[in-house]
Amino acid sequence: MFTKRWIVGGLTALLVGALGACGGGSGSDDSTRSVSGAGQGSSSTAQKARPTPDTVTGLRDSVRHLAKQTAKGTRPHTVTKCASASKKVRHTSSSGSGSKKKTRTWYTTERSRECSKVRSGTETYTRIVRAERWCVSLDDVGGNTAKDDVWYQVTRSAYDEARIADEHARVEFTPTGSGC
């Protein structure tokens, strides 16, 4: 028979579950919710993303594409060699006690297979000496006129945008690395 305590506990659990599903809990992450609902759901008003702290701005100086460099190399070629093995295993069982004790002995053969990698000559392979890189050089990095000719490694899409931009046009991107 249900008591009042069980009913109240069940209703409380149901209420907590419903509030959690609606996102009304106090532990919800406010950073995922938008501050204002303006512009949501309509494609005519595009919201510009705020630049991240890693974003770099400056005047386009030059661009450079460094192709991937490869070289042929050799390494030991290994193959798997397996050997079958078998061994005779002795089994015993006893029954009875004292002078009536009998011991029965029988043998079985256990088969096994052992495999190992062994060297068998050499093989050639293509190794990457230098990965493909796309680089952009900026002047006035972050508005600082003293920072000129700073090279950044960028993604292919950022490189394409900087390549078609005019000389000394303001560009903004997130670099994947520094130097070139």
Side-chain angles (χ1 to χ4, degrees):
M1 194 156 180
F2 286 108
T3 62
K4 218 181 216 186
R5 188 183 313 175
W6 281 95
I7 294 172
V8 170
L11 287 174
T12 304
L14 186 65
L15 183 62
V16 167
L19 285 176
C22 294
S26 63
S28 67
D29 186 13
D30 290 332
S31 65
T32 58
R33 285 191 235 144
S34 66
V35 177
S36 87
Q40 290 183 359
S42 70
S43 60
S44 62
T45 58
Q47 294 179 347
K48 185 164 181 164
R50 277 191 231 146
T52 63
D54 300 331
T55 302
V56 175
T57 59
L59 303 179
R60 178 200 178 274
D61 188 21
S62 60
V63 293
R64 180 185 300 163
H65 174 244
L66 298 173
K68 175 173 69 171
Q69 283 185 344
T70 60
K72 294 286 186 191
T74 58
R75 61 182 168 209
H77 179 70
T78 57
V79 293
T80 303
K81 291 220 175 186
C82 298
S84 298
S86 63
K87 71 177 178 179
K88 210 173 195 180
V89 179
R90 179 180 172 187
H91 305 278
T92 58
S93 71
S94 298
S95 64
S97 65
S99 63
K100 306 263 186 198
K101 184 172 184 175
K102 291 193 176 196
T103 303
R104 186 174 81 104
T105 303
W106 72 96
Y107 295 91
T108 60
T109 303
E110 288 186 358
R111 292 179 180 10
S112 63
R113 187 175 176 131
E114 294 183 7
C115 297
S116 62
K117 289 190 179 266
V118 294
R119 185 175 173 173
S120 174
T122 60
E123 64 183 6
T124 60
Y125 69 102
T126 303
R127 61 185 174 92
I128 297 174
V129 176
R130 179 182 70 200
E132 188 172 24
R133 289 185 288 190
W134 297 277
C135 304
V136 177
S137 173
L138 296 180
D139 289 336
D140 299 342
V141 177
N144 186 354
T145 55
K147 284 188 174 180
D148 284 346
D149 298 324
V150 180
W151 283 97
Y152 294 100
Q153 293 178 31
V154 295
T155 61
R156 173 74 187 260
S157 60
Y159 169 81
D160 288 338
E161 289 176 13
R163 186 173 49 87
I164 61 174
D166 294 330
E167 186 79 20
H168 294 293
R170 181 161 295 283
V171 292
E172 180 176 326
F173 54 81
T174 303
T176 59
S178 59
C180 195

